[in-house]
Amino acid sequence: MSIYGRLADGILVVHALFVAFVVFGQALILAGLGFGWRWVRNFPFRIAHLVAIGIVVLQAWLGVLCPLTILENALRRRAGEAAYTGSFIEHWLHRIIFYDAEPWVFTVVYTAFAAAVAATWYFGRPVR
């Protein structure tokens, strides 16, 4: 495997960690609010989480691909590998669970998820 292929794999890992932070971060926040875990009210953590989903929603509404997807695909092409079309989530959801949907469906899902994140700010305020 070429260095470009390895870099593309590294970007894929970073992208997956970003997605995990957004999704599992929200699950942990909800669990933590229910169980009284103080760390889930940590202001820098909550700001980072809110900004992360905000970026995803903004890109979806603007119809812009994630820069990580663009970089990974460019590195894969440079390595002589096949790049994929569409967004990271669309591609990997399809690969993992054979789910195919129009981009607007993902925009709605991202927006609803962001609304849930915003609701946790109201019902479980972070502490500075």
Side-chain angles (χ1 to χ4, degrees):
M1 177 180 278
S2 74
I3 186 68
Y4 296 109
R6 291 179 198 275
L7 288 170
D9 288 345
I11 296 298
L12 175 64
V13 169
V14 168
H15 210 164
L17 290 171
F18 180 88
V19 171
F21 171 70
V22 171
V23 173
F24 294 119
Q26 181 65 8
L28 287 170
I29 290 166
L30 292 172
L33 292 173
F35 289 115
W37 301 338
R38 293 179 55 176
W39 69 268
V40 298
R41 292 184 181 265
N42 178 277
F43 192 77
F45 167 69
R46 296 286 294 277
I47 279 287
H49 188 252
L50 184 65
V51 167
I53 189 61
I55 290 169
V56 171
V57 170
L58 183 62
Q59 289 172 342
W61 277 96
L62 294 176
V64 176
L65 281 179
C66 175
L68 293 174
T69 299
I70 294 167
L71 179 57
E72 180 193 348
N73 281 332
L75 290 167
R76 292 213 183 278
R77 282 190 292 275
R78 183 84 187 241
E81 299 174 13
Y84 52 85
T85 59
S87 74
F88 172 83
I89 298 294
E90 287 176 273
H91 174 76
W92 287 102
L93 272 180
H94 181 70
R95 295 268 318 246
I96 293 169
I97 60 173
F98 306 105
Y99 184 76
D100 200 9
E102 295 294 321
W104 69 265
V105 173
F106 293 97
T107 301
V108 169
V109 171
Y110 299 155
T111 303
F113 193 86
V117 170
T120 60
W121 272 72
Y122 179 77
F123 293 109
R125 297 189 191 278
V127 178
R128 288 185 188 254

